[in-house]
Amino acid sequence: MFKRFKKNKKEIYCPVNGEVIAIGAVSDPVFASKAMGDGFAVEPLDGAIYAPMTGKVTSIFPTKHAIGLVTDDGLELLIHIGIDTVALNGEGFDILVAEGDVVTADTQLAKVDLEHLRQKQKPTTTMVIFTNLANQPFKVQTGTNAAKAVIGNL
């Protein structure tokens, strides 16, 4: 069972320079169908990945392609870098935080070699999934956005 988070107005920041798109537009059906939760995605222009919300790092996947965060009021987020990138076993990913670190929109979580991902024929789409939002509404501004810019709230 997951903990339901207490809704307080929170800002959502763009995690990477690029084109923010709706989660339903992601080429991976698991993410597009919201099977893991609702969220949004970014088609990145560079590999500097920042925290989309203030919170604590709760998990770093051994393959370095995904990072879990939790906000102080219990909202759980998954930042998933690329599609099918688990198969790369960490190649092309440099994680800059550790589990337990408190992060803000100014905290760079990872540096990703997008060219390496492309060479391995892995889409670079980066997803931000709210895993325990439970159908509560949120809004993000789609289109081109800069990393660390406020793009929405919930």
Side-chain angles (χ1 to χ4, degrees), residues 87-111:
L88 298 177
N89 291 315
E91 292 176 24
F93 298 91
D94 186 13
I95 302 299
L96 306 175
V97 293
E99 288 183 15
D101 285 357
V102 174
V103 297
T104 69
D106 290 324
T107 306
Q108 188 173 351
L109 303 175
K111 184 176 181 184

Side-chain angles (χ1 to χ4, degrees), residues 26-148:
V26 171
S27 65
D28 183 303
V30 173
F31 291 109
S33 70
K34 303 180 186 179
M36 297 179 70
D38 205 349
F40 64 96
V42 184
E43 296 294 349
L45 295 174
D46 60 51
I49 309 295
Y50 292 86
M53 296 184 85
T54 297
K56 183 193 274 190
V57 178
T58 56
S59 62
I60 299 171
F61 285 56
T63 50
K64 303 179 184 177
H65 74 289
I67 299 169
L69 302 179
V70 64
T71 65
D72 60 358
D73 59 359
L75 178 63
E76 298 169 359
L77 295 88
L78 175 69
I79 299 96
H80 192 285
I81 307 163
I83 294 174
D84 196 29
T85 48
V86 67
L88 298 177
N89 291 315
E91 292 176 24
F93 298 91
D94 186 13
I95 302 299
L96 306 175
V97 293
E99 288 183 15
D101 285 357
V102 174
V103 297
T104 69
D106 290 324
T107 306
Q108 188 173 351
L109 303 175
K111 184 176 181 184
V112 183
D113 183 347
L114 297 180
E115 190 52 40
H116 180 75
L117 271 60
R118 289 183 193 106
Q119 288 173 359
K120 297 293 184 176
Q121 299 180 341
K122 303 296 181 191
T124 60
T125 309
T126 298
M127 284 70 59
V128 175
I129 307 299
F130 303 108
T131 60
N132 66 337
L133 196 57
N135 297 319
Q136 294 185 38
F138 74 96
K139 205 172 177 179
V140 294
Q141 175 184 335
T142 56
T144 302
N145 285 280
K148 304 188 274 182

Side-chain angles (χ1 to χ4, degrees), residues 12-25:
I12 302 168
Y13 302 91
C14 192
V16 61
N17 292 317
E19 183 81 14
V20 176
I21 61 172
I23 197 68

